[in-house]
């Protein structure tokens, strides 16, 4: 499981580094660094929803869920674990 989270964190780190044109570490707070504005924040939420097939509700829009690649990876993992798989197929 840890390997999967590490892989997810790296994937998100690469995406965020490209978005911000900055080499970010997994725990870099890109909001605190002033690299993300509100429009970019919406792009991140949309990317997460589309890439990981998740629905992010208003209750999920806590800035702490999205401050760094590592926090986003933890959020995505938690959200996937709490979302029931669709029946059928």
């Amino acid at each position: 499981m840890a390997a999967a989270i590490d892989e997810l964190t790296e994937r998100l780190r690469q995406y965020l580094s490209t978005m911000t044109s900055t080499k970010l570490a997994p725990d870099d707070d890109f909001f605190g660094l002033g690299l993300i504005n509100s429009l970019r924040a919406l792009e991140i939420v949309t990317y997460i929803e589309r890439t990981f097939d998740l629905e992010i509700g208003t209750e999920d829009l806590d800035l702490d869920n999205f401050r760094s690649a590592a926090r986003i990876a933890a959020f995505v993992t938690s959200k996937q674990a709490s979302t029931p798989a669709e029946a059928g197929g």
Side-chain angles (χ1 to χ4, degrees):
M1 182 81 163
I5 292 174
D6 289 345
E7 185 177 313
L8 176 57
T9 300
E10 178 58 20
R11 180 177 177 184
L12 290 163
R13 188 198 64 75
Q14 289 177 7
Y15 166 75
L16 294 163
S17 290
T18 300
M19 173 187 266
T20 62
S21 300
T22 305
K23 186 172 166 97
L24 295 168
D27 291 313
D28 282 350
D29 178 351
F30 41 80
F31 285 100
L33 293 169
L35 299 173
I36 300 290
N37 60 26
S38 57
L39 181 58
R40 290 288 192 189
L42 285 174
E43 288 179 32
I44 293 168
V45 169
T46 300
Y47 170 81
I48 294 166
E49 286 182 324
R50 289 182 179 165
T51 303
F52 303 105
D53 195 27
L54 294 174
E55 184 174 324
I56 298 176
T58 6
E59 68 279 3
D60 298 318
L61 294 177
D62 181 343
L63 186 59
D64 284 339
N65 288 333
F66 302 95
R67 285 191 179 278
S68 69
R71 287 188 184 198
I72 296 171
F75 168 76
V76 167
T77 302
S78 172
K79 190 80 171 164
Q80 287 174 330
S82 67
T83 302
E86 289 186 30

